[in-house]
Amino acid sequence: MLRILCSCVLGLLALVTQALALRTFWQPVGSFDPVLVFFGWQVLAAFMMGLFMLSALPRHYHGGRVGAFAHIFAICLFLPVAGQVLFLSVILVAVLLPAADKQADSALVENPEFVTYLVSRVTHGGGARLRARLENRNGSTEDRMAAMVAVQTLPSHITGGMLRDLLSDPSEEIRLLAYGIVDGAEKSIMQEIFLAQEHLADAVTTAEKSDVNSRLAELHWELIYQNLVHGEVHRYTLERVEQYAHEALEQNNENASMWYLLGRCALLSNKPREAQEFLQSAQFYYFPADRLLPWQAEAAFLQRDYGRVGKLLGPLGNSTASPLLQPTVRYWSK
């Protein structure tokens, strides 16, 4: 009650001071300039209106009260009478049309989750459905085993990470089959590496040494590309790729594939400037441009040269870029 009474008093004072401000223009000229007298009353009227509006604001008002007061004071100061009428109208509307006491019903909604057991109803994205069937540990073992068999037909660089995750699967059949696939792919590449190393020892000419070194670099890169190595083994394999690639380039500097591999290795090592130089060398020796551009764009992005990213990805277009790359091309080409 006291709060309402104070508000009424402040509102009345605001109206009175505003009336006194206007009254100065109809008073005879005295010893003071009437404009200064009007301005003094107007400042007091704006101040009173600011206090009145603050007292009328609801208690749960979360806005800055100091900012609201400054806003009201400035409007009433520079808009005599109109500012008063404006804010009194706001108060009048609030009194005649009060807000509903009951707040709108609301509740916290959990984030949606991907329901794997409904994936069988999806008619597109065969790879994604296979992945979902494998990751659904509530599914039948027969269905997951069938999905595992189908996974073997997919490129290993796509399924490598998924198979690694399945090595800790609670189902022994799934775990053993995943281990068999990963181990088989790794052994197949390692056998080729051992065979290439024997050929390197027998190589005599510069061309033979260059070819074998290139082969060894590519085979070690295949272990990384297929996601078959991790941790320290990954780092060791990356060093072997760089070592064999440099040795191959010492014997044949025009080997564009080795420049390309060195660029990819530099990106994995977070050395974008070196990667850019290696990729430019690969481009100079006629490495396919559509395979170079995404990595050149990544090197530019890591160097914060965002203006070059769109220029590099633009020539790819949506038709030549892979489905995985198309959203990136569209984003940077706009």
Side-chain angles (χ1 to χ4, degrees):
M1 185 65 186
L2 181 61
R3 181 169 176 262
I4 297 174
L5 182 61
C6 290
S7 297
C8 293
V9 170
L10 289 171
L12 183 62
L13 288 175
L15 292 175
V16 170
T17 51
Q18 182 64 79
L20 290 174
L22 295 175
R23 185 169 173 269
T24 56
F25 290 108
W26 285 273
Q27 292 293 319
V29 178
S31 57
F32 293 99
D33 188 345
V35 175
L36 290 178
V37 176
F38 168 78
F39 187 73
W41 282 114
Q42 186 61 34
V43 170
L44 188 58
F47 183 78
M48 289 298 172
M49 180 54 72
L51 292 179
F52 169 62
M53 290 300 296
L54 284 187
S55 65
L57 286 175
R59 294 183 184 277
H60 60 271
Y61 181 72
H62 298 295
R65 289 183 174 267
V66 175
F69 175 80
H71 192 76
I72 297 166
F73 178 80
I75 291 177
C76 292
L77 179 63
F78 295 106
L79 292 176
V81 182
Q84 304 267 356
V85 172
L86 172 66
F87 290 108
L88 289 176
S89 301
V90 172
I91 297 297
L92 185 63
V93 169
V95 172
L96 296 178
L97 304 172
D101 295 334
K102 184 181 179 183
Q103 300 292 329
D105 295 333
S106 61
L108 180 64
V109 179
E110 297 293 337
N111 292 328
E113 295 182 356
F114 182 69
V115 183
T116 54
Y117 63 83
L118 293 178
V119 75
S120 59
R121 302 181 185 181
V122 181
T123 57
H124 56 82
R129 282 189 289 123
L130 284 176
R131 184 186 186 94
R133 288 167 61 188
L134 287 171
E135 292 179 347
N136 180 20
R137 297 185 176 181
N138 295 325
S140 65
T141 304
E142 291 76 13
D143 182 63
R144 299 183 72 200
M145 290 293 289
M148 282 292 291
V149 173
V151 160
Q152 297 182 61
T153 62
L154 298 177
S156 54
H157 69 276
I158 296 175
T159 61
M162 178 176 59
L163 292 173
R164 282 279 172 188
D165 295 339
L166 291 174
L167 294 179
S168 59
D169 195 90
S171 172
E172 185 176 3
E173 291 86 352
I174 297 294
R175 194 168 60 245
L176 289 176
L177 189 51
Y179 177 79
I181 296 173
V182 173
D183 188 58
E186 187 175 354
K187 281 183 177 177
S188 174
I189 296 175
M190 289 305 298
Q191 286 176 356
E192 293 189 49
I193 289 176
F194 294 144
L195 188 61
Q197 287 174 336
E198 293 177 0
H199 290 165
L200 181 61
D202 299 333
V204 179
T205 64
T206 303
E208 289 176 346
K209 291 180 180 178
S210 175
D211 292 342
V212 178
N213 279 316
S214 298
R215 177 66 176 159
L216 283 168
E218 290 170 349
L219 287 171
H220 281 88
W221 176 254
E222 199 64 21
L223 291 172
I224 298 173
Y225 184 65
Q226 296 191 22
N227 202 19
L228 297 173
V229 287
H230 295 269
E232 290 297 326
V233 182
H234 181 278
R235 195 165 16 257
Y236 171 81
T237 308
L238 194 64
E239 292 173 356
R240 296 287 76 74
V241 176
E242 294 173 331
Q243 173 197 336
Y244 288 119
H246 280 297
E247 290 178 2
L249 288 173
E250 287 179 2
Q251 291 134 9
N252 179 15
N253 191 46
E254 298 181 1
N255 192 334
S257 297
M258 293 301 102
W259 289 115
Y260 169 75
L261 281 188
L262 287 176
R264 295 289 304 274
C265 291
L267 285 175
L268 288 178
S269 302
N270 197 23
K271 299 175 181 175
R273 189 174 298 278
E274 292 183 15
Q276 182 180 355
E277 295 174 358
F278 290 140
L279 294 172
Q280 285 178 348
S281 298
Q283 187 178 18
F284 180 77
Y285 291 113
Y286 307 109
F287 195 84
D290 57 339
R291 293 179 58 190
L292 280 178
L293 290 176
W295 306 113
Q296 289 177 316
E298 182 177 337
F301 179 81
L302 292 176
Q303 295 179 84
R304 302 178 184 274
D305 189 2
Y306 303 124
R308 286 189 64 232
V309 177
K311 295 178 182 177
L312 289 167
L313 292 177
L316 288 177
N318 289 330
S319 57
T320 56
S322 66
L324 191 63
L325 192 61
Q326 285 177 8
T328 306
V329 173
R330 283 198 298 272
Y331 176 81
W332 286 101
S333 300
K334 288 182 179 178

